[in-house]
């Protein structure tokens, strides 16, 4: 399978929208984390964190079962490229997709705190958004 920005954006957007639609937990959401991995298994994961003190602490990595969009083609697509450049490119693609969905009101149906944040993290720490000191600025859901 080829990697095209258009295909990846469309499939990630649909996956996020489906996760929102399928979310049934009645607890208020404090943090919506999108995690991803491109080098070993290839996947994108949405994690709805309902802890009152939720933060970008990697908890999403303990909740992968049934929560991921498999991207099995990513490891072979990116095997000969600089891993930092790949992490940034995919992270920014996810960020653009996530903010577009937010601006279109996709998160409006969720039971979330007024200060619910969005965040993105590459599993090996090669990309993270927003910068920790910028939380609560452009990343509110």
């Amino acid at each position: 399978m080829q990697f095209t920005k258009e295909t990846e954006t469309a499939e990630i957007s649909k996956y996020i929208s489906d996760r929102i639609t399928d979310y049934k937990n009645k607890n208020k959401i404090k943090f919506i984390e999108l995690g991803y991995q491109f080098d070993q298994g290839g996947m994108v994961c949405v994690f709805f964190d309902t802890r009152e003190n939720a933060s970008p602490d990697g908890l999403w990595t303990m909740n992968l079962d049934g929560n991921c969009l498999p991207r099995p083609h990513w490891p072979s697509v990116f095997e000969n490229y600089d891993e930092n450049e790949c992490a940034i490119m995919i992270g920014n693609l996810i960020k653009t997709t996530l903010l577009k969905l937010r601006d279109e009101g996709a998160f409006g149906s969720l039971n979330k705190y007024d200060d619910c944040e969005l965040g993105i993290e590459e599993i090996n720490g090669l990309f993270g958004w927003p910068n920790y000191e910028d939380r609560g600025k452009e990343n509110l859901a």
Side-chain angles (χ1 to χ4, degrees), residues 9 11-12 18 24 35-37 40-41 53 58 67 71 75 77 83 87 91 100 103-104 112 117 122 124 139:
T9 298
E11 292 183 9
I12 292 169
D18 288 349
K24 302 299 182 217
Y36 69 98
Q37 180 179 34
Q40 291 180 19
N53 63 343
N67 293 327
R71 310 311 297 151
V77 168
E83 66 180 10
K100 182 176 187 291
D103 294 346
E104 292 172 349
K112 60 189 182 313
E117 294 182 58
E122 192 272 332
N124 296 312
N139 73 313

Side-chain angles (χ1 to χ4, degrees), residues 2 8 12 29 35 39 44-45 53 56 70-71 76-77 80 89 97 100 105-106 108 111 113 115 123 127 130-131:
Q2 294 283 338
E8 297 299 328
I12 292 169
I29 301 167
D39 61 345
V44 177
C45 175
N53 63 343
R71 310 311 297 151
S76 62
V77 168
N80 295 318
M89 183 202 55
T97 304
K100 182 176 187 291
N111 181 22
Y113 288 91
D115 61 348
I123 200 164
F127 181 91
N131 292 328

Side-chain angles (χ1 to χ4, degrees), residues 25-87:
N25 188 327
K26 300 297 181 198
N27 296 332
K28 276 191 157 185
I29 301 167
K30 183 71 172 180
F31 197 79
I32 302 169
E33 183 92 41
L34 274 85
Y36 69 98
Q37 180 179 34
F38 67 91
D39 61 345
Q40 291 180 19
M43 55 84 180
V44 177
C45 175
V46 173
F47 177 62
F48 300 101
D49 197 334
T50 59
R51 298 173 297 157
E52 287 186 37
N53 63 343
S55 66
D57 58 9
L59 184 64
W60 69 272
T61 63
M62 310 230 346
N63 294 278
L64 300 177
D65 290 340
N67 293 327
C68 296
L69 172 67
R71 310 311 297 151
H73 57 289
W74 283 5
S76 62
V77 168
F78 298 113
E79 68 186 349
N80 295 318
Y81 293 91
D82 178 80
E83 66 180 10
N84 291 317
E85 290 176 11
C86 294

Side-chain angles (χ1 to χ4, degrees), residues 2-31:
Q2 294 283 338
F3 181 100
T4 67
K5 287 177 85 171
E6 295 78 18
T7 299
E8 297 299 328
T9 298
E11 292 183 9
I12 292 169
S13 180
K14 180 181 180 334
Y15 161 71
I16 295 169
S17 296
D18 288 349
R19 290 280 291 132
I20 292 167
T21 300
D22 294 344
Y23 186 74
K24 302 299 182 217
N25 188 327
K26 300 297 181 198
N27 296 332
K28 276 191 157 185
I29 301 167
K30 183 71 172 180
F31 197 79

